[in-house]
């Protein structure tokens, strides 16, 4: 059998660039509230919907969903709403309401419990579905409790739900009135075992001295094994537990030294007469450890500004890599600074974690930020970090909920190689520049925020709560990021004439769509294709087309296919999922220059003469001639299915491997004998069928059909044949 070289010339052009200053946009922004647009429950005063926000992919579809707490609901019993993404944003379809003692959730809903006052999402059992932790810090006279609801393919489910409280089920500590356990929640992998862990703050512990509990994840979810509690002056942590320190009133998680273990930051805004400090506790294989722990305060260790009573440094926190150096940085707000104007101090990460070196301050009307500094603005009232424009640098969303009589304002500071900068800073307010609703006194816009990827493109999006809206009824706004679009698969067809729309084991396919290559200087290996999580061998890649070998198992009925742009890089962009139907065989010819109607000369070689089969001049520089009756001709194909011996996807065939399904063929309507039906030695995924041209056909175009199992090639393929 002769080797065959098939040359495919494609000229596809693309112009791809990231907008230099674009970040969040009001285009297509959404507004969510109870009792509207299909969202469950009623819109009632004092519910404070969106008082707390958290986002995670609770159903594992590749797009984040939103959880919104309404701790004031029903006499402060509290509920939590979950709104799911459909890939283009949030949708009311399938939205849920969770409350204590209902639908299998542990506990009883009691006045003052405030279920949903704090929320955090993490994958505690590493099953690919995010789980939700919800605090009810008013439970049982302010002792507090944290509920955990686990994710699944259908979204959050009450199956295996847990209730955690101090002194119960092996959790360290003692539940006491006024502890307010669960007031602050954060998730991270503190011991590096691949399971997210939960940090739960109890700022009221020990006369408001404060404490944080660590519950570790496992393949069974959160477990009490090895759980920890951390507080100042205990177990080697710096400082002393003192009345009204409020240690753990705010929590943040990041890897500040790049060692692969998440670290915990605990804000202590009441420390030293309300001056405030920030405590860093490093992660390790044993969880959070005292070694290397540090406390930071203003005007010390390189941090700017003065320490003054009532500054409340550390009242809010966020971690992100603002300068793109691979180490997370910390943003910490001083809400009471200068009469409540507020400011944010950034402490850069390094191989030594946070040291204070290179720290800087950001506040309104300085460093390129607009708006005036006014008493009571509380700049930094909420902080959230994410990459809103997909440029590889985390940006910082800064809430100013006290602005203009608690109407509220949002600043977005872009990240850059120099850290957070005022260049390209954005400001948002309700009712301005396309953002829905109106700014009204007491709205508390930006009281809560959560960054997530709700879909549409590769940039992070931002959920912004205004729980004071309309008499504390509350609403949530969604602002979408403005980054590069996600790869989108429009169709997957056989790599021949394109008529086959099902695939089979090791078939060569053409994936059509948009935005497969996300960088201007991208090479052919910039994207990758996954089929049920298995990487497929790529033969050629372009912005709108990828030729690939199917990476599926024998016997599968379908496969979930997605394209990832900038594959395996920090700025990897995950595309939406495409369901590809599978069959035992999906035979299709390769064609030389097929006609638009699907008819064309099959890619074939005459084993008798050594010439390519077809009319002269079909491909410049190649020898073509019609096949004569009784000549042996080899046709090149794809999609013939499983072979014996079995060849895994991407494996080159060192010798003949025949297909296992029954194979037959006709030429010009006449049945013909097959000499071979199997893989092409030396190739991956390329099949061939060898047959003899029957006598008596007559000169012209003889249609060829090959049947593998129950599937036949589409009509339109022909061989050029001479008369006898």
């Amino acid at each position: 059998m002769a080797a065959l070289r098939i040359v495919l010339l494609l000229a596809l052009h693309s112009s791809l660039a990231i907008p230099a200053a674009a970040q969040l946009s009001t285009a297509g922004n959404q507004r969510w509230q109870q009792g509207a647009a299909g969202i469950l429950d009623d819109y009632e005063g004092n519910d404070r919907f969106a008082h707390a926000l958290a986002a995670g992919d609770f159903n594992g579809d590749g797009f984040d969903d939103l959880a919104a707490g309404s701790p004031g609901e029903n006499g402060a019993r509290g509920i939590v709403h979950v709104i799911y993404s459909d890939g283009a944003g949030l949708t009311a379809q399938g939205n849920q309401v969770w409350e204590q003692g209902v639908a299998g959730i542990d506990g009883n809903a009691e006045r003052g419990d405030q279920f949903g006052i704090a929320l955090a999402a993490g994958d505690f059992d590493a099953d690919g579905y995010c789980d939700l932790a919800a605090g009810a810090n008013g439970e049982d006279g302010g002792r507090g409790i944290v509920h955990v609801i686990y994710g699944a393919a259908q979204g959050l489910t009450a199956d295996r739900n847990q209730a955690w409280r101090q002194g119960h089920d092996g959790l360290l500590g003692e539940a006491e009135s006024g502890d307010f356990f669960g007031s602050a929640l954060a998730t991270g992998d503190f011991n590096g075992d691949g399971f997210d862990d939960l940090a739960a703050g109890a700022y009221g512990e020990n006369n408001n001295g404060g404490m944080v509990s660590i519950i570790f994840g496992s393949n069974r979810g959160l477990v009490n094994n090895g759980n920890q509690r951390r507080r100042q002056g205990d177990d080697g942590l710096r400082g002393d537990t003192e009345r009204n320190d409020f240690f753990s009133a705010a929590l943040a998680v990041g890897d500040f030294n790049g060692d692969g273990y998440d670290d915990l930051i605990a804000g202590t805004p009441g420390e030293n007469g309300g001056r405030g400090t920030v405590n860093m506790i490093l992660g390790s294989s044993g969880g959070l450890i005292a070694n290397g722990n540090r406390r930071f305060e203003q005007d010390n260790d390189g941090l700017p500004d003065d320490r003054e009573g009532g500054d409340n440094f550390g009242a809010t926190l966020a971690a992100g890599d603002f300068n793109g150096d691979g180490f997370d940085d910390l943003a910490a707000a001083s809400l009471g600074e200068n009469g409540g104007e507020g400011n944010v101090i950034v402490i850069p990460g390094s191989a030594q974690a946070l040291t204070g070196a290179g720290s800087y301050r950001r506040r309104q009307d300085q460093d390129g930020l607009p708006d005036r500094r006014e008493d009571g603005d509380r700049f930094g009232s909420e902080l959230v970090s994410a990459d809103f424009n997909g440029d590889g640098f985390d940006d910082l969303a800064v809430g100013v909920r006290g602005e203009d009589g608690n109407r509220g304002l949002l600043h977005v500071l872009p990240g850059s190689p120099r850290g957070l900068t005022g260049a390209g800073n954005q400001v948002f307010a309700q009712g301005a520049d396309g953002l829905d609703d109106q700014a009204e006194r007491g709205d508390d816009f930006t009281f809560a925020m959560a960054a997530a990827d709700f879909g549409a493109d590769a940039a992070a999006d931002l959920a912004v709560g205004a729980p004071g809206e309309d008499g504390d009824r509350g609403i949530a706004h969604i602002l979408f990021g403005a980054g590069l679009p996600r790869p989108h698969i429009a169709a997957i067809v056989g790599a021949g004439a394109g008529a086959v729309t099902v695939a089979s084991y090791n078939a060569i396919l053409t994936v059509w769509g948009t935005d497969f290559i996300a960088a201007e200087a991208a090479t052919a290996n910039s994207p990758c294709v996954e089929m049920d999580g298995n990487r497929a061998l790529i033969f050629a890649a372009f912005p709108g087309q990828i030729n690939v070998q199917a990476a599926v198992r024998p016997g599968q009925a379908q496969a979930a296919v997605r394209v990832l742009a900038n594959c395996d890089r920090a700025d990897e962009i995950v595309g939406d999922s495409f369901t590809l139907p599978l069959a035992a065989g999906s035979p299709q010819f390769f064609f030389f220059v097929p006609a638009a109607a699907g008819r064309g000369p099959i890619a074939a070689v005459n084993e008798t003469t050594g010439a390519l089969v077809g009319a002269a001049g079909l491909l410049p520089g190649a020898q073509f001639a019609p096949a004569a009756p009784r000549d042996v001709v080899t046709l090149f194909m794809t999609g013939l299915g499983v072979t014996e011996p079995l060849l895994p996807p991407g494996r080159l065939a060192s010798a003949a491997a025949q297909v296992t399904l029954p194979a037959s063929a006709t030429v010009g309507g006449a049945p013909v004998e097959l000499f071979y039906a199997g893989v092409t030695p030396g190739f991956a995924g390329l099949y061939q069928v060898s047959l003899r041209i029957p006598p008596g056909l007559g000169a012209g175009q003889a249609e060829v059909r090959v049947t593998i199992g129950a599937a036949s090639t589409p009509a339109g393929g022909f061989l050029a044949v001479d008369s006898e």
Side-chain angles (χ1 to χ4, degrees), residues 698-713:
Q701 299 176 355
E703 184 177 41
V704 180
R705 300 295 292 269
V706 173
T707 300
I708 300 294
S712 297
T713 52

Side-chain angles (χ1 to χ4, degrees), residues 38-67:
I39 297 300
L40 298 171
D41 211 74
D42 297 321
Y43 192 54
E44 301 162 314
N46 301 316
D47 283 351
R48 289 193 64 81
F49 173 78
H51 179 101
L53 298 170
D57 186 3
F58 302 124
N59 58 6
D61 64 357
F63 304 104
D64 287 330
D65 315 304
L66 181 67

Side-chain angles (χ1 to χ4, degrees), residues 110-125:
E110 300 160 317
R111 182 176 293 273
D113 282 351
Q114 297 193 104
F115 175 67
I117 196 166
L119 300 170
D123 190 356
F124 303 124
D125 53 7

Side-chain angles (χ1 to χ4, degrees), residues 86-438:
D86 64 359
L90 297 178
T91 172
Q93 184 174 357
N95 77 96
Q96 300 171 314
V97 170
W98 296 97
E99 55 187 307
Q100 295 173 293
V102 176
I105 297 300
D106 190 28
N108 295 304
E110 300 160 317
R111 182 176 293 273
D113 282 351
Q114 297 193 104
F115 175 67
I117 196 166
L119 300 170
D123 190 356
F124 303 124
D125 53 7
D127 64 353
Y129 305 104
C130 266
D131 314 309
L132 181 67
N137 71 350
E139 173 79 22
D140 195 16
R143 286 169 172 81
I145 191 171
V146 174
H147 293 266
V148 177
I149 310 173
Y150 285 89
Q154 65 270 33
L156 292 178
T157 169
D159 295 346
R160 302 188 297 132
N161 81 92
Q162 299 171 314
W164 293 95
R165 62 196 100 194
Q166 297 183 89
H168 291 259
D169 299 320
L171 192 63
L172 296 173
E174 183 179 350
E176 300 162 313
S177 179
D179 284 349
F180 300 119
F181 176 71
S183 295
L185 301 171
T187 62
D189 188 1
F190 303 121
N191 58 3
D193 63 356
F195 302 99
D196 281 339
D197 313 311
L198 177 67
Y203 70 77
E205 176 79 24
N206 197 11
N207 294 314
N208 295 329
M211 186 188 75
V212 61
S213 298
I214 310 300
I215 313 172
F216 290 98
S218 74
N219 57 8
R220 294 179 286 119
L222 293 179
V223 293
N224 59 22
N225 296 346
N227 74 93
Q228 301 174 318
R229 61 176 184 170
R230 295 289 181 260
R231 52 190 169 186
Q232 295 187 99
D234 193 17
D235 298 318
L237 261 62
R238 299 188 182 190
D240 296 305
T241 298
E242 301 162 314
R243 180 185 293 268
N244 296 329
D245 280 350
F246 298 110
F247 174 80
S248 81
L251 299 172
V253 173
D255 186 0
F256 302 109
N257 57 4
D259 65 354
Y261 300 102
D262 281 334
D263 313 311
L264 180 68
I265 303 295
T268 311
E271 177 77 29
N272 195 13
R275 288 167 172 80
T277 63
V278 166
N279 296 69
M280 176 186 71
I281 315 172
L282 298 178
S284 75
S285 59
L288 295 178
I289 56 175
N291 292 346
N293 82 93
R294 298 195 60 162
R295 289 203 316 167
F296 296 93
E297 54 189 356
Q298 296 179 98
D299 196 24
N300 202 356
D301 294 317
L303 272 64
D305 220 290
D306 298 321
R307 294 191 305 279
E308 300 161 315
D311 280 352
N312 298 137
F313 176 62
T316 60
L317 306 166
D321 187 1
F322 305 126
N323 58 6
D325 64 355
F327 303 103
D328 280 336
D329 314 311
L330 177 68
S334 302
L335 298 189
E337 178 74 29
N338 199 18
E341 292 175 357
N343 68 23
V344 174
I345 291 176
V346 179
I347 311 173
S350 71
Q352 292 76 42
L354 303 178
T355 66
S359 297
Y360 55 92
R361 178 181 63 182
R362 293 290 180 262
R363 55 184 178 174
Q364 295 185 103
D365 197 24
Q366 193 177 49
D367 301 313
L369 273 66
D371 209 70
R372 292 185 302 164
R373 296 194 302 275
E374 300 162 313
D375 290 352
D377 280 351
R378 297 173 66 81
F379 179 79
S381 57
E382 178 72 327
L383 301 174
V384 170
S385 167
D387 185 1
F388 298 119
N389 61 357
D391 65 354
F393 299 97
D394 281 336
D395 314 308
L396 185 66
V398 181
V400 194
R401 74 176 181 92
E403 176 77 26
D404 195 18
N406 279 23
R407 286 172 169 82
L409 193 69
L410 169 65
H411 286 264
V412 182
L413 282 63
S416 76
R418 300 176 305 281
L420 296 177
T421 172
N425 169 79
Q426 296 178 295
V427 177
F428 296 93
Q430 294 186 98
D433 299 320
L435 189 61
D436 196 15
D437 209 73
Q438 296 296 319

Side-chain angles (χ1 to χ4, degrees), residues 492-506:
I492 301 178
V493 298
V500 174
T501 56
V502 296
S504 58
Y505 184 78
N506 275 351

